[in-house]
Amino acid sequence: MNYGPLIFLAALFALSGSWLGFVVTPSFQLGTLQQTNTVGAGLTYPLARPGLAQQGLQVYRANGCVYCHSQMVTQERTLCEVVLTEAGTNTTALVAALHKLNPNYNQEALDAVLKSLPKTVVFNTTKTKADAAVKELTQTTAKAQVVITPAGPDIARGWGKRRSVAEDYLYDYPTLPGAQRVGPDLANAGARLPDVNWHLRHLYAPAAEVKGSTMPPYRFLFELRKAGLTPSTQALQLSPGIAPSGWEVVPRPEAVALATYLASLRADAPLYSTPLSSAPTASASADTNAPAGGANLSTNAPAAK
Amino acid sequence: MSNPMKSSATGENLAQVPVWLFILLFVLLFWGMYYFDQNSGWFNAHVYSPYRNVAELQLYQPAGGGGNDRGKAVYENVCALCHNPDGNGKPNQAPPLVGSEWVLGSPARMIRIPLAGLAGPVMVKGQEWNLAMPAMGAALPDDDLAAVLTYMRQSWGNKASAITTEQVKAIRAELGGRSQPFTADQLQQVP
Amino acid sequence: MSQKQPSPSRAEAPLPGGALDTPAWAFPLLLLLAGAAFWLVVSSGFSLIASIKFHSANFLADCAELTYGRVRAVGTNAFLYGFCVPAGTAFGLWQFARLGRSRLPLPGLIAVGTGFWHVGVATGLLGILRGDLSGFENLEMPGYAVPLLFLGIVVLGLWGCLALHERQQTVLEASHWYSLAALFWFPWIFSTASLLLFTFPLRGIAQSVIAWWYSGNLLIVWMGLVGLGALLALLPLATGSRQRHLALFIFWTLLLFGSWVGIPSAAPLPAWMPVTSRVFTVLLLVPACAVAVLLVGSNSKERDLEVPPFLRFAGGFFVLYGLIVSIGAFLHLDTVTQFTWFKPALEMLGGYGFFGFAIFGAIYSVLPKLLTLEWPYQKLIRAHFYLALAGLLFATVPWFAGGVVQGLDWRNPNVSVVEVSARALKFLRPATLGEFLIALGNVLFLVNVGAALFCYIRRAVMGFIARTIAPAGVGVKL
């Protein structure tokens, strides 16, 4: 019996299973992915990175940044909160409804709630329970809404608002989700640290910007120039003692591209596959105060005319 | 040595693999199918963990209508290039919208500007601008235009009444496909 | 031919049998192996540099070519493509060739394949140092090195098929299926991955899916097939149909389940992909247990002196790797260990502990038979074993422990990023010592293989001189 062809077929059979599953299907399902719209605002997402940031991705790849920094945020749960935005007219019914939702509320706490709207009245619950609570509150003519918050250790660290999804990587080649975290996740590095100059200073001397950082310095992305009488415009504004005295540090084009790329990293748009809604926070109430200033402007303008 | 192997290759003696290995295999296969069914979302491209299926994902979709996101989106796509994302305009490109009497004033005037355009000298907040704005809003659906105009009237500190889809619809019908841009004087005639 | 063995070479290398009794394909195969041994040392050198960089951020930091990312990529790629693939392929070729007649056609094909492969590896590693690494883990080889590598492996594979075709024994043993499947498997996954990543790159995250699929198939299936093939071929296992059926069982379960492993559970992909991968990772428990049964059934009293302890440990490490991976996946422990030092620990346990040990064992026991010479430095084999074992323990145990600590730290938002890396650093110190021991062991391996190559060449040259010059002079013929 000749086993050669048999083993060939066996291996072919086994391989073609996983090949269909993990090569062909993803190429169609993910390889044909298009831009999508964000939930709520309906903005186009994602937008292609600007050219310099695209070049920065190549610097990131070429220096193997991916071995220490992942770019994928994990999410373990989705938490819901109910925020009471308006008290409505029927306060007694509202107080009763609130007390039913949270028996720990005493009269004092309820008064405090009603004075400082919008206020979260139900914490850490499921969507079903939150929807039911909103229904009950709105029946009392009050207004309430559900706030959907993705949760997990990465999100708790502030590495992102939601988990990473396929759309976040649409325009990347290569895609660099990473596998190990020696340093922080960078999926939202630009959202946390939008300052390109900070990134440049950090690349030149990481420990000077982040105390105790073990990241190696990337001095080869910069050049030293003899300092003139006035510092040149491109030179980094470093704290004294970091650059050799009498010299100034000027980033090479790679460094600028890399820093631009890092500052462009942002993956927190609300999408259908990662539901999230922002809370109507105190800033929303600040907004309602703002028109006072705005009204001034608008009344001033015609007067000037 | 090759003879016993040959006979056994037919598979009749396969039971010689310890039975518990087969039991383990089938138990794990069963668990695997159950686990896949419960957690995979059955190949749906939108179901990511921690959601386990489409129904759960649907449940967690936020209810619509928190703020004028649509108007903001249209503004940023269509208007922000010249009028700046913060509505302050750009020198020699477009006058400011913040506090502009044209934005905060009569809706009927304001709606006409994007539908047909505005050319020639115009006073905005005491400053004269002499530029031409094309009919940027002519191609927008009524509801999008209403949303973006409302956004302008109610953002960056502006506070004026919202503009409804019906208002836009009525004025579009009134203009009847006018392609000539308005002048400031013509608009002043509009109540 | 062996009857005409000239006496000078006998004086040089006192050997049983004839010194020229080696088949023509032995020498190119030896070159393939010698290249593998060379890249192994290169790999451990670069890995050691990468490891030292953790203790001093400024160590070699001003040279772009020696930045951590590139050095580490050279370390893993020199190991995978420089050592694992050629050494594993060489073992497979030896198995097929051994079945055949003493003279097999076209031994030059091996030399051609070896040339393409090793030139491809050199090109690729230099490319990585230049900053052309692809960014896909375990396939960092730049796109321009890939055609050379592919050509090399295809030529080698063709010769393997040729050797198999010419065999005299019709029935293949279990170890042959493993080697044969591995011989097909690698070109398939390698070509699929390079086509979809380099030639016609897919859009977006689908690239990473391909890269993960490729890594899983290379590290689990291909390494599993080659390593277990070596164990089946060389361990004094309980023979007979029981072993054969177990081998068949392992073969199928490894192929069917292992080929779906590798997509991390945190991957930014629709749930069905990580979920499927997790299910099949759990199913790896079955082949791991089957290998354990196979090893327990092996007759340890009947100790074959020629089998180095490497092989026994390799089997144990396979079982250990399978248990950690599958039980971890079942209990969702990867939510803690993902993104930590646990990952390199696992890769080292599988790549060096299982595959490396299996291939070392195979080479140490096969090469003397192939070349009909003794290892020039017998003592170094033992030293290599102890260094490799100690190095493996020193590297993986702290990494595993550090990985768990780091994983728990990452889950606690009150521990700052700087604190997390500072704590992990404590575990990296013994790991660097481990990598140093491994590097030392690998040097001993290279010394032995290099010396064997030297002996072989010297013997061949002496034989050639004896055959050409001796007839002209005094009759030296026996």
Side-chain angles (χ1 to χ4, degrees):
Chain A
M1 232 174 120
N2 189 358
Y3 281 107
L6 194 71
I7 291 157
F8 177 83
L9 286 177
L12 183 69
F13 171 73
L15 187 71
S16 55
S18 93
W19 194 76
L20 275 176
F22 278 170
V23 176
V24 178
T25 321
S27 334
F28 283 106
Q29 190 173 55
L30 301 171
T32 58
L33 207 66
Q34 297 292 328
Q35 282 177 323
T36 176
N37 290 325
T38 59
V39 170
L43 300 169
T44 306
Y45 183 85
L47 299 174
R49 290 183 204 288
L52 197 57
Q54 202 66 262
Q55 291 169 28
L57 170 72
Q58 297 310 320
V59 182
Y60 189 93
R61 165 194 61 74
N63 292 298
C65 307
V66 70
Y67 299 113
C68 296
H69 295 283
S70 62
Q71 285 185 28
M72 68 177 150
V73 178
T74 62
Q75 176 181 339
E76 293 185 351
R77 293 173 300 283
T78 309
L79 299 176
C80 290
E81 292 176 353
V82 176
V83 179
L84 189 64
T85 48
E86 275 176 44
T89 48
N90 192 348
T91 320
T92 42
L94 176 61
V95 166
L98 282 174
H99 193 75
K100 204 173 135 197
L101 285 175
N102 190 344
N104 292 334
Y105 274 141
N106 53 24
Q107 194 57 45
E108 225 171 287
L110 285 169
D111 286 343
V113 165
L114 294 183
K115 265 180 206 147
S116 58
L117 295 181
K119 186 96 180 166
T120 308
V121 290
V122 182
F123 295 92
N124 292 359
T125 186
T126 62
K127 184 70 172 9
T128 324
K129 283 184 186 161
D131 283 344
V134 167
K135 203 174 167 191
E136 239 166 81
L137 290 172
T138 45
Q139 270 168 1
T140 70
T141 71
K143 281 188 183 165
Q145 67 186 74
V146 182
V147 176
I148 298 155
T149 324
D154 293 1
I155 295 166
R157 260 180 198 281
W159 284 346
K161 285 187 191 161
R162 57 151 172 88
R163 63 159 301 147
S164 300
V165 293
E167 279 86 355
D168 300 338
Y169 307 83
L170 191 61
Y171 290 113
D172 289 351
Y173 176 72
T175 50
L176 298 162
Q180 206 185 337
R181 286 174 181 162
V182 178
D185 186 274
L186 297 182
N188 286 286
R192 290 200 296 277
L193 302 154
D195 182 6
V196 174
N197 285 317
W198 183 90
H199 284 290
L200 285 172
R201 293 196 302 272
H202 181 247
L203 284 170
Y204 184 76
E209 296 297 324
V210 179
K211 203 168 180 301
S213 167
T214 49
M215 177 170 140
Y218 286 81
R219 288 188 288 257
F220 58 84
L221 295 174
F222 298 83
E223 57 184 302
L224 288 175
R225 287 193 198 151
K226 261 269 185 292
L229 286 174
T230 49
S232 76
T233 46
Q234 312 111 298
L236 296 189
Q237 312 260 307
L238 294 164
S239 333
I242 289 168
S245 65
W247 297 83
E248 58 183 19
V249 178
V250 178
R252 292 180 199 274
E254 304 97 276
V256 178
L258 179 57
T260 312
Y261 168 71
L262 291 171
S264 82
L265 287 172
R266 175 164 209 146
D268 55 1
L271 300 177
Y272 174 71
S273 22
T274 56
L276 95 127
S277 62
S278 47
T281 47
S283 66
S285 57
D287 266 0
T288 49
N289 291 335
N296 274 340
L297 259 179
S298 54
T299 45
N300 282 349
K305 188 187 174 189
Chain B
M1 194 171 176
S2 70
N3 265 344
M5 279 185 183
K6 215 171 189 174
S7 63
S8 60
T10 51
E12 55 196 313
N13 296 329
L14 211 67
Q16 287 186 3
V17 176
V19 179
W20 65 268
L21 266 180
F22 279 101
I23 296 175
L24 180 71
L25 174 64
F26 286 111
V27 167
L28 286 182
L29 276 176
F30 183 79
W31 167 84
M33 284 189 278
Y34 176 77
Y35 184 82
F36 182 86
D37 176 60
Q38 290 295 303
N39 292 284
S40 69
W42 282 98
F43 306 105
N44 187 295
H46 293 290
V47 176
Y48 287 76
S49 103
Y51 306 100
R52 291 174 300 178
N53 49 52
V54 186
E56 215 168 67
L57 180 63
Q58 282 288 2
L59 175 68
Y60 272 85
Q61 291 303 319
N68 188 358
D69 288 336
R70 185 173 190 180
K72 183 171 196 266
V74 177
Y75 181 81
E76 277 166 9
N77 277 339
V78 181
C79 323
L81 200 62
C82 296
H83 287 287
N84 225 25
D86 61 3
N88 278 321
K90 284 184 186 171
N92 301 323
Q93 271 190 41
L97 303 172
V98 181
S100 160
E101 57 272 37
W102 297 95
V103 171
L104 296 163
S106 147
R109 272 181 222 162
M110 188 196 185
I111 295 168
R112 281 179 161 76
I113 301 175
L115 280 176
L118 171 61
V122 56
M123 289 293 284
V124 181
K125 290 167 76 178
Q127 202 189 344
E128 195 184 67
W129 297 74
N130 194 351
L131 299 160
M133 169 174 155
M136 297 298 290
L140 288 175
D142 291 340
D143 46 355
D144 275 5
L145 188 53
V148 70
L149 293 177
T150 306
Y151 174 74
M152 291 175 192
R153 283 162 75 88
Q154 298 182 344
S155 304
W156 323 298
N158 283 354
K159 191 145 192 171
S161 62
I163 284 176
T164 62
T165 311
E166 286 69 38
Q167 281 173 305
V168 173
K169 200 177 201 165
I171 289 176
R172 201 194 286 267
E174 213 175 294
L175 295 181
R178 168 185 174 133
S179 57
Q180 189 74 18
F182 286 103
T183 63
D185 289 340
Q186 284 171 332
L187 284 176
Q188 294 287 13
Q189 312 297 320
V190 178
Chain C
M1 216 174 177
S2 57
Q3 270 76 21
K4 293 185 178 179
Q5 188 223 347
S7 48
S9 72
R10 179 175 277 173
E12 293 297 330
L15 287 161
L20 289 179
D21 195 16
T22 53
W25 45 268
F27 183 62
L29 216 53
L30 180 61
L31 284 182
L32 186 61
L33 275 177
F38 171 72
W39 291 124
L40 179 68
V41 171
V42 170
S43 144
S44 45
F46 275 92
S47 299
L48 190 60
I49 295 177
S51 191
I52 293 172
K53 275 171 178 279
F54 276 101
H55 309 300
S56 161
N58 281 312
F59 178 64
L60 301 178
D62 283 328
C63 176
E65 282 73 23
L66 293 178
T67 192
Y68 173 75
R70 300 189 194 174
V71 168
R72 181 188 148 137
V74 170
T76 50
N77 282 265
F79 181 68
L80 289 176
Y81 300 98
F83 173 69
C84 294
V85 176
T89 308
F91 176 72
L93 295 185
W94 169 76
Q95 280 207 295
F96 301 144
R98 197 173 64 130
L99 290 174
R101 306 188 298 236
S102 56
R103 284 176 166 275
L104 285 163
L106 299 174
L109 273 186
I110 307 182
V112 173
T114 302
F116 274 122
W117 183 267
H118 284 311
V119 170
V121 172
T123 315
L125 296 183
L126 287 175
I128 293 175
L129 287 180
R130 269 191 48 199
D132 291 341
L133 59 162
S134 71
F136 301 111
E137 213 158 337
N138 296 330
L139 186 55
E140 280 94 343
M141 287 290 181
Y144 50 75
V146 165
L148 287 170
L149 294 172
F150 186 70
L151 218 61
I153 199 69
V154 165
V155 171
L156 289 173
L158 274 180
W159 192 83
C161 294
L162 208 67
L164 204 63
H165 184 73
E166 296 281 318
R167 73 183 188 275
Q168 287 172 330
Q169 178 190 344
T170 48
V171 174
L172 294 177
E173 285 172 40
S175 57
H176 298 128
W177 318 329
Y178 281 70
S179 295
L180 186 59
L183 206 63
F184 294 132
W185 208 271
F186 182 75
W188 273 338
I189 59 169
F190 189 67
S191 55
T192 300
S194 1
L195 276 178
L196 295 180
L197 294 179
F198 301 133
T199 320
F200 310 104
L202 288 173
R203 192 174 155 111
I205 199 68
Q207 296 157 27
S208 291
V209 182
I210 304 298
W212 280 319
W213 171 84
Y214 170 79
S215 289
N217 271 285
L218 180 67
L219 301 184
I220 307 272
V221 181
W222 186 84
M223 281 192 175
L225 284 173
V226 175
L228 292 177
L231 294 190
L232 286 167
L234 300 169
L235 270 185
L237 298 164
T239 48
S241 59
R242 179 184 166 87
Q243 180 227 328
R244 193 183 168 84
H245 282 134
L246 256 180
L248 191 71
F249 185 80
I250 298 166
F251 181 76
W252 274 103
T253 47
L254 183 70
L255 246 57
L256 283 175
F257 303 154
S259 54
W260 293 80
V261 172
I263 296 196
S265 63
L269 299 173
W272 70 268
M273 286 185 236
V275 163
T276 309
S277 213
R278 183 191 293 280
V279 167
F280 282 103
T281 311
V282 172
L283 281 166
L284 275 188
L285 187 63
V286 176
C289 289
V291 171
V293 171
L294 189 77
L295 292 175
V296 170
S298 73
N299 197 344
S300 53
K301 280 175 198 162
E302 192 186 300
R303 269 188 72 169
D304 190 340
L305 285 176
E306 283 181 49
V307 176
F310 271 120
L311 285 172
R312 273 176 202 291
F313 275 85
F317 288 138
F318 180 87
V319 177
L320 189 63
Y321 179 87
L323 289 180
I324 294 177
V325 164
S326 57
I327 294 176
F330 183 76
L331 298 175
H332 288 240
L333 297 182
D334 52 341
T335 50
V336 174
T337 57
Q338 64 191 353
F339 302 120
T340 69
W341 288 99
F342 207 82
K343 187 181 166 285
L346 265 183
E347 278 172 9
M348 179 164 265
L349 182 64
Y352 197 81
F354 161 63
F355 184 86
F357 273 41
I359 285 297
F360 290 139
I363 292 174
Y364 280 132
S365 55
V366 162
L367 213 60
K369 292 177 198 158
L370 175 66
L371 305 179
T372 57
L373 51 73
E374 290 294 311
W375 282 104
Y377 306 104
Q378 291 282 351
K379 278 182 184 162
L380 291 192
I381 300 178
R382 204 138 263 273
H384 179 197
F385 172 72
Y386 287 119
L387 281 173
L389 191 63
L392 192 72
L393 288 179
F394 272 111
T396 52
V397 172
W399 273 348
F400 275 126
V404 173
V405 170
Q406 197 191 16
L408 292 172
D409 279 351
W410 279 140
R411 292 185 68 82
N412 179 359
N414 298 324
V415 185
S416 76
V417 173
V418 169
E419 278 176 83
V420 176
S421 44
R423 271 197 227 183
L425 212 58
K426 283 180 207 151
F427 294 94
L428 297 188
R429 293 190 198 285
T432 305
L433 174 66
E435 295 210 64
F436 175 72
L437 295 180
I438 286 177
L440 211 61
N442 291 344
V443 171
L444 301 187
F445 176 68
L446 178 66
V447 165
N448 241 332
V449 172
L453 180 69
F454 177 73
C455 287
Y456 182 86
I457 292 176
R458 190 177 57 177
R459 193 176 66 185
V461 169
M462 297 303 267
F464 178 75
I465 292 170
R467 264 180 295 136
T468 47
I469 299 172
V474 204
V476 208
K477 273 185 197 170
L478 290 175

